[in-house]
Amino acid sequence: MKIVYQNIHLANSHTLAVYEANGGYQAVLKAFELGSDEVIEEVKRSGIRGRGGAGFPAGMKWSFIPKNDPRPKYLTCNADEGEPGTCKDRDIIRYDPHRLIEGMIICGFAVGIQQAYIYIRGEFYRETERLQAAIDEAYAKGYLGDNIFGRKIRFHLAIHRGGGAYVCGEETGLIESLEGKKGQPRLKPPFPANIGLYGCPTVINNVETLASIPSIIERGGAWYGALGVPKSSGTKIFSVSGHVNRPGNYEVELGIPMKTLLEEHAGGVRGGWGNLKGVIPGGSSSPILSAEVCATITMDYDAMAKAGTMLGSGAVIVLDKSVCIVRAVARLSRFYRHESCGQCTPCREGTGWLAQIMTRMEAGHGTLEDIDLLSDICNNISGKTICALGDAAVGPVMGALRAFKEEFIYHVEHGRCMAG
Amino acid sequence: MATVIIDGKEIDVKAGTTIMEAAKLLDIYIPHFCYHPKLPIAGNCRMCLVEVEKMPKPVISCAMPVNDGMVVKTDSEMVRTARKGVMEFLLINHPLDCPVCDQGGECSLQDLAMKYGPDRSRFHDHKRHVPNYDLGPIIETEMNRCIHCTRCIRFSEDVSGVEQMGAVYRGDHMQVGPFVESRLDSELTGNLAELCPVGALNFKPFHFQARGWELKHADGICSHCSVGCHTRMDHLDGRILRVMSRSWNEGNETWLCDKGRFALDGLANERLTAPMVRASQGGELKKVSWPEALDQAAKILKSVKPEEVAGLASDAVQGGEELFAFQDLMRNVLGSGHIDHRLRQRDFSADELPLTRADLLMNTPLASLNGADAIVLVGFDPRFETPILNIRLRRATQAGARVVSVGARKLNTNLLNVTEVVVAPGGEVARLNAALQALDHDEACAEDPVAALLKGAKKPVLLLGEGANVHPEAEALRRVSVALLDKVGGIGPNWNGYNRVAARANAAAAQDLGVVPHRGAGYTRLERMGMNASQILEAAASGQVKVLFLLGVDPLDEALDRDLARRALSKARVIYLGAFYGSAAQKAEVVLAGLAPGERPMTLTNGEGRVQRSARAVNGPLEAKEDWRILRALSDRFAAPLGYNDLEALRKKMAASDHRYDLSRLGPGESAMACDHSPVTRGLPVTVSAAAESGAAMQLLMVSSFYRDDPVAARSKVMGQLARDGRLRIHPDDASGLAIVQDGLVRVLSGERKIEVRADLDRRVPHGVVIGDLGRGENATRELGDYSNGYPRVSLVALPG
Ligand SMILES: Cc1cc2nc3c(=O)[nH]c(=O)nc-3n(C[C@H](O)[C@H](O)[C@H](O)COP(=O)(O)O)c2cc1C
Ligand code: SF4
Ligand code: SF4
Ligand code: SF4
Ligand code: FES
């Protein structure tokens, strides 16, 4: 079942002509007919949850924007795609930018927004060019601008390129960056729905979330809600990377068994299922699952939470038995140390400490006390920071300690890796 | 309202109150680093985490608003664990060099580490190293100790409006400091060190001077401007080493300006340590005993007729006690009515009128200035006359108030929404009168920036500053200001926006206690008016006044016309009572060594007319005496001595002449009322003289040098480093026409007088005007000033070299 990626196999799928030839820009017209409240209802009915990582229901988020507020409102599309392992938004932007634009127009109409931004990661240079070209096409056609689709509706859209900071993918860090400041997340509350960009009510959604909207409106929230499993409705794109035979982006219904995803869609684990060591299921910050768990788990929000990890951004990183877990975690810890904005104490000091210990451990200079220390540090960061980057940094370490503690002990005792 | 339960105690608070503030009301202390009651919330240190029932994670109490029915635990297992974790994180990269840290003993990190810190470090990796910066004469940095609380950054951005501090880099490489290394360009830099919870930002002048726990403390009132900030004087072994702020919500909140904090090293320079007498005219001053000195002073005073004696007093360093005793002595013991403190004032025409206290002081309490919605500054540079008052105005502008500044120069301001109306020197009266007329006509009103601002304002304020108070037509300017404000309803029982802001710390006490020729203490009318400051100097120079009795004032530094002051001092016999050896003591026949602020209890009345008491912190020089006791002892040598033998009795006398000085009526912890005075006099006719014609020559405007403008500050080395005085400021365009270059030597001629001075090219100086300062030293531009000629026309010649 393909929704977001339904067109990407077509030649010139990124152009307005191909998008329209395949039914594009019809949902927005339907949205105008439905009226703004009903559009929000449809999105609520679909049950779609945010695809950026946190999984917050999109319809609910839109309905939080205060009505009858004199301030302007903003829509910001999060195209920062910074979570290691994630590359799904990129293909939407490259191959079907108009789907995103249409989704944004619908959101803008539903919430009463006249100005929207796409915050795109700086490294997406070609992607920005293509997105800009699509926006230009939409402006030329009158789909964006002061009187879109010939109606008295105003909707403007502009791209802002980020500077490559992971933390600018965090919604309030993104807002700060968009405002021209250093990308440091804000305290919440207040939430962006009330005080967001330039102090005004702001909707922030991920690219995939917004690109799902046209189909939801076109075919109805109930239709979408019936896909997938309860509380994890619809389809989700999984960026499968690592030791599989056919890494890539796969859009499947939520709730699919992980094994099916890896074996049937991604060409199977390198060297066979028996060679699987573990899977990081939802981007680098989600705790790793052992092969044993992977054999039975399904790809949906609840199952992941129950297993002590998360669906996150849908980046499935597959590790086979050649992988040294300690080394992999050390690498990720250095990433989080580098990407911490430095604002709040536990994350600033804790990520640096974790990275130093992990690096030492990897080099064979760890002690058994360090293993306890690692989990203490994780506990002292977790849930005590301004933004979720602190928790994200803790994820890989905690997950590895839970699933692969013996590898840490082996490292300490032998000064080298089990995997050779 | 919301009812919350914190640690089992219930309290009702306003909705929106944070848990931290609610806990404070319950006297529950929640440890914190980044929270500061007067700064925007940052929530970054995470030390203040508390447990809230029904919330899965601990929340930061400094930012979390209370909800009705919220149950908070500030000392649960969850909270203690969280705090321990934060403490450990803060310490891993901290150098822990407490033994050599100025903050040691007064450090939040040290204190909280005692309670929550581990006794042994689990950190065995690499500690961070951060570079230090040279931030100028006030702040010493040791950035390794920084805990990234961003208080300094928030202060710089929010309060001082100078965005020089920031954080660069990320993660554990984050560094707090100036974006570009340079001295901090602010009058409020000392607050950074006071705010910094650790020893990262320290006071340079106090660096390595003492350990915090050795210091003794005395509650002071700052005597460097008319705000009257509350200070704590920290002293050791008879020396004041450091001045800290005392929290005072109605005034300085928790801030002090750099002058108030760091001018104190001036207290130790050029001090008079013992009474001295000059044996013969032109002879040397010799140390003598007190009885000898007083006898000699009495002899001089008795050798002339009472009306041949005149007294001048300082309103900057003298307390209300001395000021009261001085006028008491002059009038009632010596029988002379010639007494004044207004050596800078040019226009004394208002002395003829029964002006009230309200006409002469502020009527909007400092604490209410934040609420103003329209601000008119007349000849007022609030940032460099009364910096802490300026913070209030800045707060108002942050909340949306607009400002129009009317004056002869552009300001270096940190207020927002400012329109500068620059007039030719002296043109303020005409300008405001035009605004007054414009208020009657909608069209004209829209075009006149002052009228447009005031019209429709709900809480307008108008502040007259030094430029207005020393104006040649000061009274006309004052009246037109009153009329203007009155017309828009700005002078009423509920809101009174008329403010005359004196530059000097105790000018209000001098007014109240009768150190003026036309009124006695407590605004009593006199049968006969004495001579004012300018007349006294003229009379002394001409020989009509034969003895000048100077209380703490050095006319060569203080008077507008230095040449006249010099002639007066060389002609008359001079008795000088004061703490400092300056040009007045050099000329005096008798020198009576008094004390300086901090060395004696003193009453200071601030610009709001609030009567405040500053304690004694240290003893002065061994043989120097409390000034009023010297006056009292001197009076013993006359027929009717002063009627008080101790401080209590003197203060009773002061209170009897002005009830506002009766502080016994105040309860403990209460401070005297601000703006405790009758209404402003309204309806006085407004007069506008013909506008001065602009001629070919440049006009000289003289302004005081903020950092050097009182006897203590003038002697402070630290202030010397901050001040940019001693130069003639000129617009670059005017300069280039005259071949004057930056730092080049210029001869300035005005009639007979001439000086040579270096030039400072400054775009803020209006065309056709040069700005000099009322500085000290030999070639000060004040050599060119006189009382009658408001803004002298000068010609400039560029000199080689
Ligand atoms: C450290 C951090 C990085 C994040 N990076 C991204 C990102 O690159 N892209 C994204 O869509 N969401 C990212 N998020 C999630 C956003 O904060 C936010 O939840 C999301 O954009 C909301 O959109 P959604 O509801 O449509 O998922 C990140 C969150 C954190 C804490
Ligand atoms: S958790 Fe890390 S990234 Fe987030 S605000 Fe704190 S320091 Fe910055
Ligand atoms: S220098 Fe001091 S005030 Fe500034 S961030 Fe560091 S610890 Fe805080
Ligand atoms: S503002 Fe005035 S009273 Fe306050 S500290 Fe500065 S000089 Fe002293
Ligand atoms: S005091 Fe609350 S986070 Fe610092």
Side-chain angles (χ1 to χ4, degrees):
Chain A
M1 181 77 206
K2 287 195 174 36
I3 293 173
V4 177
Y5 278 173
Q6 58 183 284
N7 283 353
I8 65 171
H9 59 284
L10 302 174
N12 292 324
S13 60
H14 60 279
T15 58
L16 183 68
V18 172
Y19 185 60
E20 289 204 296
N22 289 278
Y25 289 115
Q26 293 303 312
V28 62
L29 298 177
K30 184 170 173 203
F32 294 155
E33 302 307 313
L34 287 174
S36 54
D37 291 346
E38 191 49 37
V39 170
I40 295 182
E41 281 313 309
E42 283 297 339
V43 175
K44 278 189 179 166
R45 223 168 277 145
S46 77
I48 183 170
R49 294 170 66 166
R51 304 297 192 220
F56 193 83
M60 191 117 81
K61 189 181 273 188
W62 296 5
S63 66
F64 286 161
I65 299 294
K67 293 206 164 66
N68 309 321
D69 190 298
R71 294 172 293 172
K73 297 167 194 147
Y74 295 101
L75 167 62
T76 309
C77 169
N78 190 342
D80 197 54
E81 192 148 70
E83 181 80 8
T86 319
C87 53
K88 63 192 174 70
D89 296 341
R90 182 174 180 223
D91 280 351
I92 301 173
I93 292 165
R94 278 202 294 192
Y95 299 121
D96 207 355
H98 285 287
R99 187 172 301 278
L100 171 61
I101 295 170
E102 186 176 7
M104 291 184 74
I105 300 172
I106 295 171
C107 173
F109 167 72
V111 182
I113 292 166
Q114 303 190 343
Q115 176 69 55
Y117 298 94
I118 299 174
Y119 186 98
I120 192 164
R121 67 179 290 166
E123 294 88 337
F124 284 179
Y125 188 79
R126 296 275 175 226
E127 292 78 354
T128 307
E129 285 178 343
R130 193 161 264 188
L131 189 55
Q132 187 61 53
I135 292 174
D136 292 345
E137 275 184 305
Y139 264 107
K141 234 4 210 323
Y143 296 173
L144 293 171
D146 284 335
N147 299 298
I148 60 172
F149 298 93
R151 287 156 208 255
K152 285 207 160 29
I153 298 173
R154 216 174 108 96
F155 190 75
H156 285 273
L157 179 56
I159 302 181
H160 181 91
R161 294 183 62 213
Y166 172 56
V167 74
C168 291
E170 195 282 339
E171 54 190 16
T172 54
L174 183 151
I175 290 175
E176 286 280 296
S177 173
L178 194 50
E179 287 182 1
K181 304 180 194 144
K182 194 178 178 194
Q184 292 185 332
R186 296 177 179 171
L187 293 176
K188 290 182 261 184
F191 291 93
N194 186 18
I195 297 179
L197 187 62
Y198 307 120
C200 298
T202 302
V203 174
I204 300 185
N205 274 127
N206 171 256
V207 173
E208 187 185 348
T209 316
L210 289 164
S212 305
I213 300 299
S215 298
I216 292 174
I217 296 305
E218 191 189 322
R219 306 183 63 171
W223 162 80
Y224 190 90
L227 300 172
V229 294
K231 289 199 190 153
S232 296
S233 58
T235 60
K236 170 89 190 83
I237 305 166
F238 291 105
S239 307
V240 184
S241 65
H243 300 143
V244 286
N245 291 318
R246 266 198 318 138
N249 284 323
Y250 297 98
E251 182 175 8
V252 294
E253 279 183 54
L254 281 162
I256 180 180
M258 183 190 273
K259 194 164 179 183
T260 312
L261 176 67
L262 299 188
E263 295 289 293
E264 286 174 24
H265 293 266
V269 176
R270 190 173 74 176
W273 186 259
N275 194 31
L276 182 67
K277 181 173 251 178
V279 174
I280 301 175
S284 65
S285 45
S286 58
I288 189 169
L289 298 173
S290 65
E292 202 186 347
V293 178
C294 294
T296 54
I297 196 163
T298 53
M299 300 301 286
D300 56 88
Y301 293 97
D302 289 353
M304 287 292 161
K306 230 163 87 192
T309 184
M310 53 189 188
L311 197 68
S313 60
V316 181
I317 305 170
V318 181
L319 310 175
D320 74 8
K321 289 202 166 140
S322 69
V323 173
C324 168
I325 292 291
V326 175
R327 181 157 182 223
V329 172
R331 182 64 196 88
L332 288 175
S333 290
R334 288 197 290 273
F335 169 79
Y336 286 106
R337 176 194 204 176
H338 184 71
E339 296 296 345
S340 162
C341 84
Q343 222 189 149
C344 64
T345 308
C347 172
R348 178 183 63 245
E349 305 295 343
T351 52
W353 199 0
L354 285 178
Q356 292 200 46
I357 297 175
M358 284 309 307
T359 302
R360 200 151 42 75
M361 180 128 341
E362 181 199 349
H365 303 308
T367 62
L368 288 178
E369 290 80 60
D370 281 339
I371 298 178
D372 293 336
L373 186 53
L374 283 172
S375 71
D376 270 6
I377 297 173
C378 287
N379 286 329
N380 287 339
I381 298 173
S382 173
K384 299 179 182 69
T385 53
I386 292 180
C387 83
L389 192 143
D391 298 299
V394 162
V397 183
M398 286 295 257
L401 282 175
R402 189 175 58 207
F404 299 100
K405 191 162 182 179
E406 69 286 357
E407 289 210 21
F408 285 78
I409 298 174
Y410 190 93
H411 256 266
V412 169
E413 289 177 346
H414 297 83
R416 65 178 176 82
C417 180
M418 227 172 181
Chain B
M1 290 304 272
T3 307
V4 279
I5 299 173
I6 306 180
D7 293 348
K9 294 185 210 166
E10 194 176 303
I11 187 169
D12 290 332
V13 290
K14 270 211 306 252
T17 309
T18 61
I19 298 176
M20 174 81 82
E21 284 159 359
K24 234 197 235 174
L25 296 174
L26 284 169
D27 271 335
I28 294 170
Y29 171 75
I30 300 176
H32 57 266
F33 294 108
C34 68
Y35 165 79
H36 186 284
K38 300 291 175 193
L39 293 179
I41 294 167
N44 56 34
C45 77
R46 318 305 282 182
M47 191 62 191
C48 69
L49 290 166
V50 296
E51 182 175 349
V52 175
E53 251 176 37
K54 299 203 189 85
M55 291 203 192
K57 298 194 264 181
V59 300
I60 48 168
S61 54
C62 67
M64 181 60 73
V66 297
N67 285 330
D68 197 33
M70 205 181 229
V71 180
V72 180
K73 294 181 199 149
T74 74
D75 202 23
S76 66
E77 194 50 41
M78 183 208 253
V79 173
R80 278 193 299 268
T81 316
R83 275 180 202 156
K84 278 198 183 125
V86 171
M87 224 33 243
E88 181 173 33
F89 285 138
L90 285 173
L91 292 175
I92 60 172
N93 275 308
H94 195 77
L96 298 172
D97 54 350
C98 312
V100 293
C101 175
D102 278 345
Q103 194 87 1
E106 333 181 284
C107 172
S108 312
L109 190 68
Q110 209 179 29
D111 295 348
L112 292 174
M114 292 305 289
K115 192 146 185 221
Y116 302 102
D119 59 350
R120 210 139 302 178
S121 177
R122 298 196 284 175
F123 181 77
H124 305 296
D125 296 276
H126 298 286
K127 274 205 197 235
R128 164 170 68 223
H129 182 79
V130 193
N132 287 322
Y133 310 97
D134 183 0
L135 298 179
I138 300 293
I139 302 291
E140 177 77 32
T141 65
E142 182 48 61
M143 298 314 291
N144 278 334
R145 301 184 186 132
C146 171
I147 58 167
H148 308 86
C149 69
T150 68
R151 278 185 181 185
C152 56
I153 300 173
R154 284 174 282 148
F155 178 84
S156 300
E157 285 176 358
D158 189 60
V159 183
S160 74
V162 180
E163 300 186 2
Q164 279 174 301
M165 295 295 284
V168 292
Y169 308 123
R170 300 185 304 166
D172 59 342
H173 300 293
M174 175 169 159
Q175 292 178 7
V176 172
F179 292 121
V180 180
E181 179 162 351
S182 68
R183 77 192 241 163
L184 295 172
D185 200 9
S186 160
E187 69 293 356
L188 300 168
T189 53
N191 296 302
L192 296 184
E194 183 161 351
L195 274 174
C196 180
V198 294
L201 304 176
N202 305 300
F203 300 121
K204 205 171 252 181
F206 179 69
H207 196 39
F208 293 154
Q209 293 288 301
R211 306 312 316 249
W213 59 86
E214 303 172 322
L215 295 169
K216 296 190 179 66
H217 314 296
D219 287 351
I221 301 294
C222 178
S223 59
H224 293 287
C225 87
S226 67
V227 176
C229 295
H230 290 191
T231 65
R232 193 187 77 199
M233 300 174 283
D234 291 353
H235 56 96
L236 176 68
D237 296 338
R239 277 171 61 215
I240 302 174
L241 293 179
R242 183 174 73 174
V243 174
M244 301 291 268
S245 71
R246 257 189 306 140
S247 141
W248 176 34
N249 268 334
E250 289 165 71
N252 57 303
E253 301 176 290
T254 59
W255 320 125
L256 292 179
C257 79
D258 290 344
K259 177 160 74 163
R261 205 189 280 276
F262 296 108
L264 66 110
D265 65 311
L267 288 171
N269 295 331
E270 297 188 322
R271 287 301 298 270
L272 292 169
T273 54
M276 294 188 283
V277 163
R278 204 179 297 277
S280 60
Q281 281 270 313
E284 292 252 311
L285 278 174
K286 287 245 161 51
K287 252 178 85 170
V288 293
S289 70
W290 273 108
E292 279 174 272
L294 293 170
D295 286 346
Q296 182 62 18
K299 201 168 120 197
I300 293 170
L301 291 166
K302 283 175 181 166
S303 71
V304 296
K305 295 198 205 92
E307 63 271 20
E308 290 170 339
V309 179
L312 294 172
S314 164
D315 49 15
V317 283
Q318 304 300 139
E321 290 77 7
E322 294 96 60
L323 292 169
F324 180 81
F326 186 58
Q327 63 86 33
D328 201 1
L329 178 94
M330 288 297 298
R331 293 205 167 98
N332 304 325
V333 178
L334 306 180
S336 165
H338 308 316
I339 176 170
D340 210 344
H341 68 105
R342 302 165 298 172
L343 279 82
R344 291 269 164 97
Q345 195 162 312
R346 288 193 181 97
D347 177 9
F348 295 94
S349 62
D351 290 5
E352 318 274 345
L353 302 163
L355 286 190
T356 68
R357 195 176 193 243
D359 299 331
L360 299 166
L361 303 180
M362 291 173 65
N363 290 279
T364 317
L366 288 167
S368 304
L369 286 176
N370 307 34
D373 58 358
I375 299 168
V376 181
L377 307 175
V378 180
F380 189 28
D381 182 356
R383 185 175 179 195
F384 293 105
E385 290 181 38
T386 51
I388 299 295
L389 180 154
N390 188 60
I391 292 179
R392 300 277 181 180
L393 296 181
R394 183 171 148 81
R395 294 273 195 222
T397 61
Q398 282 169 325
R402 285 183 300 135
V403 184
V404 175
S405 160
V406 180
R409 63 187 167 109
K410 282 201 174 133
L411 305 180
N412 173 7
T413 181
N414 57 7
L415 301 179
L416 313 175
N417 324 322
V418 182
T419 308
E420 300 215 52
V421 178
V422 177
V423 296
E428 292 90 341
V429 186
R431 190 68 212 60
L432 291 190
N433 192 53
L436 182 63
Q437 307 307 324
L439 277 173
D440 288 332
H441 311 280
D442 285 348
E443 235 166 80
C445 184
E447 272 168 34
D448 185 296
V450 180
L453 174 69
L454 287 175
K455 186 142 196 172
K458 292 199 177 61
K459 292 182 170 182
V461 290
L462 183 149
L463 301 107
L464 297 161
E466 192 194 39
N469 299 340
V470 305
H471 196 276
E473 294 175 298
E475 176 57 12
L477 187 53
R478 200 192 66 74
R479 285 192 196 179
V480 72
S481 299
V482 172
L484 194 57
L485 207 53
D486 199 17
K487 190 150 191 167
V488 296
I491 303 180
N494 298 324
W495 179 261
N496 189 336
Y498 167 75
N499 298 284
R500 187 172 172 272
V501 185
R504 300 318 180 76
N506 224 4
Q511 297 272 11
D512 287 348
L513 299 172
V515 188
V516 281
H518 56 296
R519 273 189 273 108
Y523 296 82
T524 47
R525 306 208 39 192
L526 296 172
E527 274 168 38
R528 224 157 50 99
M529 213 158 98
M531 287 191 275
N532 62 43
S534 137
Q535 290 165 336
I536 288 172
L537 290 174
E538 290 284 358
S542 70
Q544 189 195 336
V545 157
K546 296 204 165 59
V547 178
L548 274 180
F549 195 160
L550 305 177
L551 176 66
V553 71
D554 195 333
L556 262 64
D557 286 342
E558 189 65 21
L560 258 188
D561 186 340
R562 179 182 264 186
D563 185 62
L564 174 63
R566 193 177 286 120
R567 282 184 284 125
L569 257 61
S570 40
K571 182 98 183 187
R573 305 180 76 177
V574 176
I575 300 170
Y576 176 74
L577 191 176
F580 296 101
Y581 184 80
S583 49
Q586 269 170 47
K587 283 275 172 354
E589 264 181 70
V590 180
V591 169
L592 306 170
L595 297 175
E599 298 166 357
R600 46 169 143 78
M602 65 195 270
T603 300
L604 287 152
T605 309
N606 79 353
E608 308 163 295
R610 197 193 288 266
V611 180
Q612 313 193 91
R613 293 247 168 95
S614 183
R616 190 191 68 192
V618 296
N619 294 321
L622 211 57
E623 287 183 59
K625 298 262 184 258
E626 213 169 321
D627 310 41
W628 75 266
R629 286 184 198 278
I630 300 172
L631 296 169
R632 169 68 186 79
L634 178 62
S635 74
D636 265 340
R637 284 146 176 88
F638 294 83
L642 296 175
Y644 23 86
N645 290 323
D646 55 34
L647 189 60
E648 257 335 275
L650 165 58
R651 285 182 169 170
K652 274 217 179 88
K653 202 79 195 273
M654 287 159 68
S657 58
D658 190 325
H659 69 275
R660 285 167 286 240
Y661 286 75
D662 180 6
L663 298 192
S664 62
R665 70 206 156 95
L666 299 178
E670 270 180 9
S671 76
M673 255 197 335
C675 310
D676 175 16
H677 31 247
S678 46
V680 174
T681 312
R682 291 145 69 183
L684 292 174
V686 173
T687 52
V688 186
S689 60
E693 276 178 43
S694 59
M698 307 282 281
Q699 271 187 293
L700 172 66
L701 177 69
M702 277 180 287
V703 299
S704 57
S705 165
F706 170 68
Y707 289 113
R708 313 269 267 161
D709 201 36
D710 63 66
V712 180
R715 289 174 170 80
S716 155
K717 291 207 176 68
V718 180
M719 291 303 105
Q721 289 171 289
L722 294 176
R724 294 188 185 152
D725 56 356
R727 275 162 198 259
L728 190 73
R729 288 193 282 147
I730 181 168
H731 193 282
D733 296 349
D734 287 349
S736 72
L738 294 161
I740 293 169
V741 294
Q742 176 68 32
D743 296 326
L745 202 57
V746 185
R747 176 171 296 145
V748 190
L749 300 123
S750 168
E752 305 273 275
R753 308 182 185 190
K754 67 165 186 259
I755 58 155
E756 282 169 19
V757 63
R758 300 224 169 249
D760 193 7
L761 309 195
D762 181 348
R763 295 208 162 265
R764 277 194 290 265
V765 180
H767 289 285
V769 172
V770 286
I771 300 180
D773 60 72
L774 292 162
R776 309 193 338 138
E778 274 320 296
N779 254 324
T781 31
R782 70 141 49 92
E783 301 281 355
L784 304 178
D786 64 35
Y787 280 101
S788 48
N789 187 358
Y791 306 97
R793 299 203 175 275
V794 294
S795 45
L796 310 177
V797 185
L799 298 179

